[in-house]
Amino acid sequence: PGALSPPPKPAEPPTAALVFSQTPLPVPIAVIPPPGFEPEGDALPLCIALHGGGEDRSSLAESVPMFEEMWSAGLLPPMVLVSASTGPLSWYAGPWEDFIADELPEFMATRFRTRTDAAGIVLTGVSMGGMGALRITFTEPDLFGAVAVHPA
């Protein structure tokens, strides 16, 4: 009899390296667009996911199957998700606040046609990322339509 095939490997999310004005090296990012994403289509909401301490953008990339399942079940509206590797202990403080609040949304709007209005940008974070999401949202309350955090 035939051998069982391994389950298909989920598609790798697009990655890029964003030049940040306050760091010497480009910042790696992972992007998960919704099914049927067309860069020249209508602007979509943006969800910025801040990783926890000791993690990087791969924590979002590993979640592709979960987001695909939620989209196919109609549980999640179409949106573009992004996570940046800011360093294992960046705490999203200092210059990283500017990166998350300003430069990353601008890059995503240009490259992935995401919305730039507050109602179209959600900021999320886990553990260290949750602390950063709250700090950035309290500092810049008019930039984000929603914030969601999860403790470790």
Side-chain angles (χ1 to χ4, degrees):
L4 292 176
S5 300
K9 187 176 179 185
E12 291 292 320
T15 59
L18 173 56
V19 175
F20 175 37
S21 63
Q22 299 185 41
T23 60
L25 298 173
V27 179
I29 63 171
V31 179
I32 302 176
F37 172 74
E38 295 290 335
E40 50 285 332
D42 291 337
L44 291 175
L46 173 64
C47 177
I48 301 171
L50 306 184
H51 63 75
E55 296 180 354
D56 60 20
R57 68 182 177 181
S58 65
S59 58
L60 177 68
E62 292 165 359
S63 300
V64 168
M66 177 186 70
F67 289 111
E68 288 177 343
E69 185 176 317
M70 288 192 298
W71 277 318
S72 70
L75 299 173
L76 185 67
M79 66 177 65
V80 177
L81 297 107
V82 64
S83 184
S85 295
T86 60
L89 295 174
S90 72
W91 291 101
Y92 301 98
W96 291 115
E97 289 183 39
D98 296 333
F99 175 77
I100 298 300
D102 300 320
E103 294 189 40
L104 184 58
E106 288 174 18
F107 173 83
M108 293 301 295
T110 301
R111 180 95 180 263
F112 291 92
R113 195 165 172 79
T114 57
R115 290 174 50 183
T116 57
D117 60 303
I121 304 175
V122 175
L123 187 58
T124 68
V126 175
S127 189
M128 176 185 80
M131 172 91 167
L134 289 174
R135 179 188 306 107
I136 294 167
T137 303
F138 290 150
T139 304
E140 302 283 353
D142 297 332
L143 295 182
F144 306 99
V147 62
V149 301
H150 190 279

